[in-house]
Amino acid sequence: MELKPDRPPDLAILVRVRDEPGVLHALTGVLARQGVNIRHVDTAERGEGEATVYMELEHPLDTEALLADLGALPMVLGFDTPPSFHHVYGKRVIVMGGGAQVGQVMLGAVSEADRHNIRGERISVDTIPLVGEENLAAAVRAVGRLPRAAALVLAGALMGGAITDAVREVRAQGIVVISLNMAGSVPQAADLVVSDPVQAGVMAVMAVARTARFDVRRVRGRTF
Protein backbone atom coordinates (compact mmCIF):
# COMPACT_ATOMS: atom_id res chain seq x y z
CA MET A 1 0.00 0.00 0.00
CA GLU A 2 1.39 3.37 -1.05
CA LEU A 3 0.76 6.42 1.07
CA LYS A 4 -1.71 8.97 -0.23
CA PRO A 5 0.24 11.47 -2.41
CA ASP A 6 0.69 15.01 -1.14
CA ARG A 7 0.45 17.25 -4.21
CA PRO A 8 -0.66 20.86 -3.91
CA PRO A 9 -3.00 22.18 -6.63
CA ASP A 10 -1.58 24.55 -9.21
CA LEU A 11 -4.44 27.04 -8.86
CA ALA A 12 -7.35 27.67 -6.49
CA ILE A 13 -10.26 29.79 -7.67
CA LEU A 14 -13.39 31.04 -5.91
CA VAL A 15 -16.13 31.88 -8.43
CA ARG A 16 -19.24 33.86 -7.49
CA VAL A 17 -22.13 32.83 -9.76
CA ARG A 18 -25.88 33.10 -10.16
CA ASP A 19 -27.52 30.13 -8.43
CA GLU A 20 -29.23 28.46 -11.38
CA PRO A 21 -29.21 25.14 -13.28
CA GLY A 22 -26.28 24.50 -15.60
CA VAL A 23 -23.73 26.67 -13.80
CA LEU A 24 -21.34 23.85 -12.92
CA HIS A 25 -21.65 22.46 -16.45
CA ALA A 26 -20.64 25.84 -17.90
CA LEU A 27 -17.69 26.23 -15.52
CA THR A 28 -16.32 22.76 -16.14
CA GLY A 29 -16.83 23.20 -19.89
CA VAL A 30 -14.36 26.10 -19.83
CA LEU A 31 -11.87 24.01 -17.85
CA ALA A 32 -12.23 21.06 -20.23
CA ARG A 33 -11.64 23.20 -23.30
CA GLN A 34 -8.40 24.49 -21.77
CA GLY A 35 -7.26 21.01 -20.72
CA VAL A 36 -7.40 21.79 -16.98
CA ASN A 37 -7.88 18.94 -14.52
CA ILE A 38 -10.09 19.52 -11.45
CA ARG A 39 -8.59 18.36 -8.15
CA HIS A 40 -11.46 19.47 -5.91
CA VAL A 41 -14.76 21.34 -6.28
CA ASP A 42 -17.22 22.50 -3.64
CA THR A 43 -20.12 24.91 -3.23
CA ALA A 44 -18.85 27.26 -0.55
CA GLU A 45 -22.06 29.20 0.13
CA ARG A 46 -25.53 29.86 -1.29
CA GLY A 47 -28.13 32.54 -0.71
CA GLU A 48 -30.31 35.20 -2.34
CA GLY A 49 -29.93 33.80 -5.85
CA GLU A 50 -26.13 33.60 -5.71
CA ALA A 51 -23.63 30.86 -4.96
CA THR A 52 -19.89 30.55 -4.57
CA VAL A 53 -18.03 27.66 -6.20
CA TYR A 54 -14.54 26.79 -4.95
CA MET A 55 -12.23 24.77 -7.22
CA GLU A 56 -8.69 23.50 -6.96
CA LEU A 57 -7.13 22.90 -10.36
CA GLU A 58 -4.15 21.17 -11.95
CA HIS A 59 -2.18 22.14 -15.04
CA PRO A 60 -3.64 25.48 -16.19
CA LEU A 61 -1.30 26.32 -19.07
CA ASP A 62 -2.52 29.91 -19.35
CA THR A 63 -4.03 31.19 -16.11
CA GLU A 64 -4.92 34.60 -17.51
CA ALA A 65 -6.79 33.09 -20.47
CA LEU A 66 -8.59 30.66 -18.16
CA LEU A 67 -9.76 33.43 -15.83
CA ALA A 68 -10.84 35.56 -18.80
CA ASP A 69 -12.94 32.73 -20.24
CA LEU A 70 -14.55 32.04 -16.87
CA GLY A 71 -15.27 35.74 -16.35
CA ALA A 72 -16.95 35.92 -19.77
CA LEU A 73 -19.62 33.39 -18.79
CA PRO A 74 -22.99 35.16 -18.33
CA MET A 75 -23.69 33.50 -14.97
CA VAL A 76 -20.31 34.48 -13.43
CA LEU A 77 -20.55 37.54 -11.18
CA GLY A 78 -16.91 37.65 -10.10
CA PHE A 79 -14.01 35.52 -8.94
CA ASP A 80 -10.93 35.46 -6.73
CA THR A 81 -7.80 33.30 -6.56
CA PRO A 82 -7.25 32.64 -2.83
CA PRO A 83 -4.58 30.39 -1.30
CA SER A 84 -5.68 26.77 -1.60
CA PHE A 85 -6.94 24.70 1.32
CA HIS A 86 -3.78 22.64 0.87
CA HIS A 87 -1.66 25.75 1.43
CA VAL A 88 -3.68 27.05 4.40
CA TYR A 89 -4.73 23.86 6.23
CA GLY A 90 -2.44 21.23 4.69
CA LYS A 91 -2.79 17.52 5.32
CA ARG A 92 -5.53 16.35 7.66
CA VAL A 93 -5.35 13.90 10.54
CA ILE A 94 -8.81 12.56 11.48
CA VAL A 95 -9.51 11.21 14.97
CA MET A 96 -12.72 9.35 15.81
CA GLY A 97 -14.10 7.09 18.52
CA GLY A 98 -15.00 7.42 22.20
CA GLY A 99 -14.92 10.91 23.68
CA ALA A 100 -12.36 10.29 26.46
CA GLN A 101 -9.91 8.45 24.20
CA VAL A 102 -10.43 10.93 21.35
CA GLY A 103 -9.60 13.81 23.70
CA GLN A 104 -6.29 12.24 24.68
CA VAL A 105 -5.36 11.45 21.07
CA MET A 106 -6.14 15.05 20.14
CA LEU A 107 -3.82 16.28 22.88
CA GLY A 108 -0.91 14.43 21.32
CA ALA A 109 -1.84 15.20 17.71
CA VAL A 110 -2.36 18.94 18.19
CA SER A 111 0.85 19.30 20.22
CA GLU A 112 2.87 17.46 17.56
CA ALA A 113 1.20 19.30 14.67
CA ASP A 114 2.08 22.60 16.32
CA ARG A 115 5.73 21.56 16.47
CA HIS A 116 5.83 20.77 12.75
CA ASN A 117 3.70 23.73 11.64
CA ILE A 118 6.09 26.12 13.35
CA ARG A 119 8.77 24.66 11.06
CA GLY A 120 6.75 25.38 7.92
CA GLU A 121 4.55 22.27 7.72
CA ARG A 122 0.78 22.49 7.34
CA ILE A 123 -1.13 19.79 9.24
CA SER A 124 -4.65 20.16 10.64
CA VAL A 125 -6.43 17.83 13.05
CA ASP A 126 -10.18 17.07 12.90
CA THR A 127 -12.27 14.93 15.24
CA ILE A 128 -15.69 13.43 15.87
CA PRO A 129 -16.62 11.55 19.07
CA LEU A 130 -18.73 8.68 17.78
CA VAL A 131 -20.03 5.30 18.96
CA GLY A 132 -21.81 2.40 17.27
CA GLU A 133 -20.52 -0.03 14.65
CA GLU A 134 -22.60 1.30 11.76
CA ASN A 135 -21.88 4.94 12.61
CA LEU A 136 -18.15 4.36 12.90
CA ALA A 137 -17.96 2.23 9.74
CA ALA A 138 -19.72 4.94 7.74
CA ALA A 139 -17.45 7.62 9.21
CA VAL A 140 -14.30 5.62 8.44
CA ARG A 141 -15.36 5.14 4.82
CA ALA A 142 -16.14 8.85 4.55
CA VAL A 143 -12.52 9.67 5.42
CA GLY A 144 -11.60 8.40 1.96
CA ARG A 145 -13.80 11.14 0.49
CA LEU A 146 -12.41 13.95 2.64
CA PRO A 147 -10.04 16.31 0.79
CA ARG A 148 -6.43 16.12 2.00
CA ALA A 149 -7.13 13.37 4.59
CA ALA A 150 -3.81 11.61 5.19
CA ALA A 151 -4.18 9.69 8.45
CA LEU A 152 -6.96 8.27 10.62
CA VAL A 153 -6.74 7.41 14.31
CA LEU A 154 -9.38 5.08 15.78
CA ALA A 155 -9.69 5.65 19.52
CA GLY A 156 -11.93 3.39 21.53
CA ALA A 157 -12.20 0.28 23.67
CA LEU A 158 -13.88 -2.11 21.20
CA MET A 159 -14.08 -1.93 17.41
CA GLY A 160 -14.52 -4.64 14.82
CA GLY A 161 -16.90 -6.09 12.24
CA ALA A 162 -17.96 -3.53 9.64
CA ILE A 163 -15.47 -1.02 11.04
CA THR A 164 -12.63 -3.42 10.23
CA ASP A 165 -13.86 -3.76 6.64
CA ALA A 166 -13.97 0.03 6.35
CA VAL A 167 -10.43 0.33 7.71
CA ARG A 168 -9.12 -2.00 5.01
CA GLU A 169 -10.92 0.06 2.35
CA VAL A 170 -9.43 3.41 3.39
CA ARG A 171 -5.98 1.89 3.81
CA ALA A 172 -6.22 0.71 0.20
CA GLN A 173 -6.72 4.37 -0.74
CA GLY A 174 -3.37 5.30 0.82
CA ILE A 175 -4.63 6.64 4.16
CA VAL A 176 -2.58 5.68 7.22
CA VAL A 177 -4.73 4.08 9.94
CA ILE A 178 -3.55 3.98 13.55
CA SER A 179 -5.58 2.12 16.16
CA LEU A 180 -5.44 2.23 19.92
CA ASN A 181 -4.70 -1.14 21.51
CA MET A 182 -8.31 -2.22 21.98
CA ALA A 183 -10.55 -5.28 21.86
CA GLY A 184 -11.95 -6.33 18.48
CA SER A 185 -10.46 -6.91 15.05
CA VAL A 186 -9.65 -3.29 14.09
CA PRO A 187 -6.10 -3.39 15.56
CA GLN A 188 -5.26 -6.34 13.28
CA ALA A 189 -6.37 -4.34 10.22
CA ALA A 190 -4.60 -1.07 11.09
CA ASP A 191 -1.14 0.02 9.98
CA LEU A 192 -0.03 0.56 13.55
CA VAL A 193 -1.34 -0.15 17.05
CA VAL A 194 -0.42 2.25 19.86
CA SER A 195 -1.38 1.67 23.48
CA ASP A 196 -1.05 5.23 24.77
CA PRO A 197 -3.60 7.60 23.19
CA VAL A 198 -1.38 10.68 23.47
CA GLN A 199 1.42 8.81 21.73
CA ALA A 200 -1.04 7.64 19.06
CA GLY A 201 -1.83 11.26 18.22
CA VAL A 202 1.85 12.15 18.08
CA MET A 203 2.68 9.22 15.81
CA ALA A 204 -0.23 9.96 13.46
CA VAL A 205 1.15 13.44 12.82
CA MET A 206 4.70 12.14 12.49
CA ALA A 207 3.48 9.59 9.92
CA VAL A 208 2.28 12.34 7.54
CA ALA A 209 4.72 15.17 8.28
CA ARG A 210 7.45 15.99 5.78
CA THR A 211 9.54 17.41 8.62
CA ALA A 212 9.52 14.15 10.65
CA ARG A 213 11.96 11.28 10.21
CA PHE A 214 9.37 8.57 10.67
CA ASP A 215 8.22 6.13 8.00
CA VAL A 216 5.14 4.16 9.01
CA ARG A 217 5.93 1.58 6.33
CA ARG A 218 8.99 0.49 8.32
CA VAL A 219 6.97 -0.30 11.46
CA ARG A 220 3.71 -1.43 9.89
CA GLY A 221 1.97 -4.19 11.84
CA ARG A 222 3.76 -3.45 15.11
CA THR A 223 2.26 -2.61 18.49
CA PHE A 224 3.70 0.12 20.72
Side-chain angles (χ1 to χ4, degrees):
M1 185 269 290
E2 295 297 327
L3 300 183
K4 198 170 185 179
D6 176 33
R7 297 191 306 272
D10 297 302
L11 176 68
I13 181 168
L14 196 65
V15 189
R16 188 165 53 89
V17 297
R18 289 202 294 269
D19 191 2
E20 60 187 29
V23 168
L24 191 58
H25 175 75
L27 294 176
T28 56
V30 170
L31 301 178
R33 287 191 293 274
Q34 296 225 14
V36 179
N37 192 36
I38 302 173
R39 171 76 66 82
H40 173 70
V41 61
D42 191 16
T43 302
E45 58 184 83
R46 298 177 67 180
E48 299 183 357
E50 296 184 7
T52 302
V53 179
Y54 173 76
M55 297 182 289
E56 293 184 355
L57 310 175
E58 292 179 336
H59 316 311
L61 300 178
D62 189 337
T63 300
E64 290 187 5
L66 173 63
L67 296 178
D69 287 353
L70 288 173
L73 293 173
M75 68 285 296
V76 171
L77 305 175
F79 58 82
D80 191 15
T81 54
S84 69
F85 285 147
H86 187 284
H87 176 79
V88 176
Y89 290 106
K91 290 167 281 190
R92 301 168 73 181
V93 174
I94 313 297
V95 185
M96 65 179 67
Q101 295 97 328
V102 163
Q104 291 299 299
V105 173
M106 289 293 290
L107 177 63
V110 170
S111 298
E112 184 69 9
D114 182 65
R115 188 171 73 89
H116 290 283
N117 290 347
I118 287 173
R119 296 156 62 188
E121 189 84 53
R122 284 293 182 272
I123 299 172
S124 55
V125 186
D126 303 309
T127 182
I128 177 169
L130 200 62
V131 296
E133 181 179 344
E134 292 184 4
N135 290 336
L136 279 163
V140 169
R141 288 190 173 94
V143 172
R145 304 193 298 271
L146 289 176
R148 309 180 324 282
L152 167 65
V153 183
L154 290 169
L158 170 63
M159 293 187 192
I163 306 170
T164 303
D165 295 336
V167 166
R168 294 193 178 102
E169 291 174 21
V170 298
R171 283 191 61 210
Q173 298 174 51
I175 295 171
V176 174
V177 179
I178 295 177
S179 168
L180 294 190
N181 197 358
M182 67 177 84
S185 55
V186 159
Q188 286 73 45
D191 289 288
L192 204 60
V193 180
V194 183
S195 300
D196 179 73
V198 175
Q199 184 182 4
V202 170
M203 295 182 77
V205 172
M206 291 177 64
V208 302
R210 290 181 293 101
T211 49
R213 294 188 176 182
F214 175 69
D215 188 347
V216 71
R217 289 168 292 193
R218 300 183 64 178
V219 294
R220 181 167 287 132
R222 294 182 59 182
T223 299
F224 291 90

